[in-house]
Amino acid sequence: MSSLDDAAVLEGERNHSSTAPRLWLGGLAASAAWLAAAALTALWPETEEWVRTGEFASLLAVIGGALAFAVPLSRLFGAVGERLRAAAPWLVVLALGVIGWELVTAKLDLLPRPFFAPPQALLEVYLDEWPRLLECTVASLQLLLLGYGIGAFVGFVTGVSIGWSRAVGYWVHPVLRLIGPLPATAWLPIAFFAFPSSWSASVFLIALATGVPVTILTWSGVAGVNPAYYDIARTLGASSRFLVLKVAVPAAMPHVFVGLFMGLGASFAVLVVAEMMGVKAGLGWYLQWAQGWAAYANMYAALLVMALVCSSLVTLLFKARDRLLAWQKGLLKW
């Protein structure tokens, strides 16, 4: 074989080694961590018997097995596989967190009872209490979405009106300056007295908490539109309606979404307070009920559900923003 043939063979081997899929070490580590958590949960004796320990260990083993299965196939899953590979460090940390949580609660009993429940206690809540948790989640979503929708709509219309019309701004601006800085929860006594039910009072409070930031940010966006846009549109024969709907509102949309994000965060806080004060169903009511009965596992389970619901709603709002404001996609990530 000539020297040229040897060089070609070496080059081919080098190219093959560079294109061959590398072993996903992060996936192996994550799988090993979850399987170790399953083994510790199942085999280490508990200081107190927990009903769902076997099911929890099985769940951990399933996660570890699924990760082991995904190690050689992750590149075949496309975008999902890429996200899974990127999440490998977090998967390891979560497994280590579960191990630590299991050790300091169920295995070694280092944290005081009943304030700190082991993870299998939360699984027991989800398996046994899911109808009530689902009912409370639906009730909270109904209350939140109605109040947030009303507040966002009223705030948007008010903000556009103030930003566009000096007459409207003259009358509304002082009112906004007076009640805007006041926390929505300060209206609790008046709202529960003035409205016929605690549910309608809660809708008002959530709408108020949402409407104020949406109004201010929408107003700021409309007022900050470059006057040259209006001049160009007017020279082309645009009407006042066209100027508002096709020039002012689109240009103000980045500010509007900032207000919507701020209003969504404020509505979460008011939702929990309102449900604790008077509403008969919802995650806030469930939290208070669980605390009253010293059912701290139920309380942690409801907090986790609430965190997932709030995070999902913010994610949906980001998706809507990226779709409507395509030129700003990727500037701010959630």
Side-chain angles (χ1 to χ4, degrees), residues 277-291:
M277 294 298 292
V279 178
K280 303 302 181 186
L283 290 173
W285 171 86
Y286 189 89
L287 280 175
Q288 194 177 36
W289 170 83
Q291 185 186 15

Side-chain angles (χ1 to χ4, degrees), residues 107-284:
K107 305 305 182 187
L108 301 177
D109 202 12
L110 297 179
L111 297 178
R113 302 277 183 83
F115 307 107
F116 296 95
Q120 51 264 50
L122 271 68
L123 180 63
E124 182 180 350
V125 172
Y126 289 130
L127 292 177
D128 298 342
E129 284 275 321
W130 68 265
R132 180 180 292 184
L133 271 175
L134 180 62
E135 179 186 357
C136 290
T137 304
V138 172
S140 290
L141 279 175
Q142 289 176 340
L143 183 62
L144 178 68
L145 294 179
L146 181 61
Y148 181 77
I150 294 174
F153 177 75
V154 174
F156 176 76
V157 173
T158 307
V160 172
S161 302
I162 299 174
W164 183 255
S165 170
R166 291 184 178 179
V168 176
Y170 175 81
W171 292 105
V172 178
H173 185 201
V175 180
L176 193 63
R177 289 185 63 180
L178 180 65
I179 67 171
L182 198 63
T185 49
W187 293 87
L188 268 171
I190 299 174
F192 282 113
F193 173 76
F195 284 83
S197 66
S198 57
W199 195 84
S200 56
S202 301
V203 171
F204 164 74
L205 293 173
I206 294 172
L208 182 64
T210 305
V212 171
V214 173
T215 300
I216 295 173
L217 269 299
T218 304
W219 169 30
S220 172
V222 172
V225 175
N226 191 339
Y229 296 166
Y230 299 127
D231 297 336
I232 295 172
R234 285 193 185 98
T235 58
L236 296 175
S239 62
S240 296
R241 181 179 178 182
F242 185 92
L243 292 176
V244 173
L245 298 180
K246 300 295 184 181
V247 179
V249 170
M253 286 307 291
H255 291 77
V256 174
F257 269 97
V258 174
L260 290 174
F261 282 117
M262 294 176 63
L264 189 59
S267 67
F268 292 153
V270 175
L271 171 72
V272 175
V273 174
E275 287 182 339
M276 285 182 171
M277 294 298 292
V279 178
K280 303 302 181 186
L283 290 173

Side-chain angles (χ1 to χ4, degrees), residues 17-103:
S17 61
S18 62
T19 57
R22 288 179 297 178
L23 187 62
W24 182 27
L25 297 178
L28 278 178
S31 173
W34 284 99
L35 292 175
L40 180 140
T41 303
L43 303 178
W44 191 312
E46 298 174 339
T47 56
E48 177 185 333
E49 185 178 357
W50 294 94
V51 178
R52 299 293 183 177
T53 299
E55 288 88 342
F56 184 62
S58 300
L59 177 63
L60 298 177
V62 167
I63 297 174
L67 287 171
F69 178 75
V71 166
L73 304 175
S74 63
R75 291 189 181 277
L76 303 179
F77 296 156
V80 176
E82 289 299 322
R83 288 188 177 185
L84 191 62
R85 295 173 73 89
W90 267 109
L91 292 172
V92 175
V93 170
L94 282 176
L96 295 178
V98 170
I99 291 175
W101 186 4
E102 185 73 22
L103 283 174

